[in-house]
Amino acid sequence: MKKIAIVCGNLKSDIQKKAVEVLSSFLLDYTLEYPICVKYGEMDLKDFRCIYIGTKNDNEYILKNSKSILKNEEGYYINVNENTVIIEGYDDKGVLYGCIDFYNKYIIKNEHPHTDKYWINIFEKDTLAPFECYSFPSVKTRGLWTWGHVIYDYKNYIDNMVKLKMNSIIIWNDFVPVNAKEIIEYAHKCGIKIIWGYAWMWDTNCKKFDIKLLEDEPLKIFEKYEKEYAHLGGDGIYFQSFTELNTDSIDGVLIADAVTDLVNRTSDLFFEKYPDILLQFGLHATSVKEKLEYIKKVDNRICIVWENCGSFPFSYVPNDVGDFENTLSFVEKIASLRGEDDNFGVVTKGLVKLDWSCFEHLSNAHYLGVSSKQMKENRIIRKRRIWRYIQAYWLTNADKVYDMIKYIDKIKKGDFYSYALVEDGMFEENIMYPVALYSEMLWNTNGNLNEIMENVALRSYVDFA
């Protein structure tokens, strides 16, 4: 077996270094030794099977030998020709995602010959089968939503997001984590944006406050941001604000009207000082679905991230599909509510959620994402029964998720935010099949669902309950 050299264009780029790390981890399953990572020109490569990764701007071999024309951010081009592989990115993220899909789309495809041999090591052959692929993400922002205190290993959590080609995460906390800066720095090295979540005049029970006392709240909310978040270097703020109810009013005050007024007055303070800040308004549709004329007035600079819009994939229960057509109709309304160029997003559910029956608020800040091996192993066992149930109905109703994503994509032309709520499901240890399937649906909204489901199931890093 020929030794493999990974020839990286820019090892000064944290994201390209991550690409080398991920690609090396995949190749180790086949070579049983560390592939050699070098910069082009530093050694004689004639005895190596070379994998050239990078962009035309930083990898001389790719510049001279790749005939691709890449036009889309995060896109990539893969070309396999006998003993040479080119993985070219439009940008650094494209390099990273190309390395991941070299495994997903090439190695997996060729290592199963569809004979009674079942599996072969393609790198033991004298030459590699020819292959060519262009790809880029259908949905611009792809990620997860979670409470922070149920991330038990933040590095593994982020690493698993990388394998799913995700680029954003919303983390909601009672208090800013002690290690918030370290989390942001690690996420950025992996090409992932961190959006911190906190409440704008709200707690877990909307009825615990006086909705008529909103006048002084905007300044308090803004001061909290400046004191606790502004210096961290995060990528945005996600907030919720007393809409998670099954009624349209509190104490005679219309929720849609009151929340729009609060959000707009508060955002004015943010945008005046931080004009480029990303503000994401987590809006629960149940309390405003009949009062959309008020929500239409929300400042267009704010991204409304809609939740609880109806049946699965917005329901926690993945077999809750009885009202799917009405859910589609409602999503059409809200996706078009503020015009074609509005900032629009969704949080889908039907995966593992927080167990609210034993939930307790934290009394102070904590160190996010660290725990013992034994604790994680015990929790994996506890969560597997839940994942088995979820998995069963994702296998049955995956078409509903894909139809919804494609429907939104058609309206928004890919320019929207899509987050899946995955919390307290031990994602940092096990990438469960439904989460991996969801991520691939976001990457490719024009594919064949059966082929996507098949490909995702073959990935060695994807687990079944």
Side-chain angles (χ1 to χ4, degrees), residues 42 104 134 143 146 167 202 219 227 259 262 298 304 306 311 325 348 360-361 371-372 389 391-392 396 440 449 452 454:
E42 290 188 355
N104 291 338
Y134 289 89
T146 179
N167 59 13
W202 184 66
L219 184 58
K227 180 180 179 181
V259 78
L262 173 66
V298 170
I304 300 181
W306 291 84
S311 64
E325 292 302 320
T348 57
E360 290 185 13
H361 279 288
S371 56
S372 70
Y389 164 76
Q391 175 183 286
T396 302
E440 197 58 33
L449 180 57
I452 291 173
E454 173 189 291

Side-chain angles (χ1 to χ4, degrees), residues 419-435:
Y419 300 93
L421 187 143
V422 179
E423 54 186 6
D424 206 10
M426 296 312 300
F427 173 75
E428 52 268 77
E429 295 296 310
N430 300 111
I431 301 176
M432 303 307 291
Y433 179 76
V435 187

Side-chain angles (χ1 to χ4, degrees), residues 18 105 128 134 184 207 217 233 238 287 376 394 423:
K18 192 69 179 179
K105 296 182 179 181
L128 297 174
Y134 289 89
I184 292 169
K207 295 181 179 179
E217 289 303 314
Y238 167 95
S287 61
K376 289 185 285 188
W394 267 77
E423 54 186 6

Side-chain angles (χ1 to χ4, degrees), residues 169-449:
I169 181 173
I170 298 171
I171 304 178
W172 183 277
N173 296 280
D174 288 313
F175 300 90
V176 179
V178 173
N179 57 333
K181 279 192 174 182
E182 292 93 325
I183 296 167
I184 292 169
E185 289 171 2
Y186 190 77
H188 287 176
K189 289 178 180 179
C190 298
I192 292 175
K193 293 182 177 181
I194 297 284
I195 312 297
W196 297 111
Y198 74 99
W200 287 18
M201 195 184 177
W202 184 66
D203 203 335
T204 53
N205 187 338
C206 296
K207 295 181 179 179
K208 283 188 175 181
F209 70 95
D210 189 342
I211 196 171
K212 298 176 182 178
L213 301 177
L214 297 177
E215 189 61 34
D216 298 329
E217 289 303 314
L219 184 58
K220 293 179 183 177
I221 293 167
F222 180 68
E223 288 175 344
K224 179 180 177 70
Y225 170 77
E226 292 226 290
K227 180 180 179 181
E228 300 180 15
Y229 293 94
H231 65 285
L232 294 176
D235 301 289
I237 291 295
Y238 167 95
F239 62 90
Q240 294 179 358
S241 199
F242 62 84
T243 63
E244 194 171 4
L245 289 172
N246 291 317
T247 178
D248 64 5
S249 61
I250 300 174
D251 297 333
V253 177
L254 197 63
I255 291 173
D257 188 16
V259 78
T260 298
D261 177 66
L262 173 66
V263 167
N264 284 344
R265 288 192 295 116
T266 306
S267 68
D268 283 343
L269 297 175
F270 279 83
F271 289 126
E272 181 178 357
K273 188 168 183 179
Y274 305 99
D276 297 324
I277 191 172
L278 173 61
L279 294 180
Q280 295 186 329
F281 174 17
L283 177 58
H284 298 84
T286 47
S287 61
V288 302
K289 58 186 178 183
E290 303 299 334
K291 307 294 179 183
L292 294 181
E293 66 271 21
Y294 293 94
I295 303 303
K296 188 175 182 178
K297 300 175 184 176
V298 170
D299 190 323
N300 253 35
R301 293 171 293 181
I302 296 172
C303 173
I304 300 181
V305 182
W306 291 84
E307 303 181 45
N308 298 22
C309 295
S311 64
F312 179 72
F314 291 100
S315 170
Y316 283 120
V317 183
N319 75 333
D320 177 16
V321 296
D323 200 33
F324 183 73
E325 292 302 320
N326 286 334
T327 302
L328 273 180
S329 297
F330 180 73
V331 168
E332 181 179 15
K333 288 181 183 178
I334 59 176
S336 308
L337 183 65
R338 297 187 297 162
E340 292 183 359
D341 298 326
D342 79 318
N343 288 308
F344 177 83
V346 293
V347 172
T348 57
K349 299 180 179 177
L351 294 161
V352 171
K353 70 177 184 69
L354 199 66
D355 184 355
W356 288 97
S357 67
C358 59
F359 172 82
E360 290 185 13
H361 279 288
L362 299 180
S363 57
N364 215 318
H366 74 300
Y367 199 94
L368 188 151
V370 291
S371 56
S372 70
K373 179 181 178 181
Q374 182 177 354
M375 182 270 180
K376 289 185 285 188
E377 288 177 348
N378 289 338
R379 206 157 191 86
I380 288 169
I381 294 171
R382 290 169 57 186
K383 295 297 177 178
R384 193 162 291 276
R385 289 180 178 176
I386 298 172
W387 274 119
R388 189 177 300 121
Y389 164 76
I390 288 169
Q391 175 183 286
Y393 288 99
W394 267 77
L395 289 170
T396 302
N397 296 320
D399 61 317
K400 301 295 189 297
V401 185
Y402 202 33
D403 285 350
M404 182 64 70
I405 291 171
K406 289 191 290 185
Y407 196 68
I408 298 172
D409 182 49
K410 184 177 180 180
I411 297 171
K412 307 307 294 184
K413 298 179 177 61
D415 192 9
F416 66 101
Y417 299 77
S418 188
Y419 300 93
L421 187 143
V422 179
E423 54 186 6
D424 206 10
M426 296 312 300
F427 173 75
E428 52 268 77
E429 295 296 310
N430 300 111
I431 301 176
M432 303 307 291
Y433 179 76
V435 187
L437 183 58
Y438 155 82
S439 71
E440 197 58 33
M441 290 175 178
L442 295 180
W443 183 270
N444 179 13
T445 59
N446 298 307
N448 178 283
L449 180 57

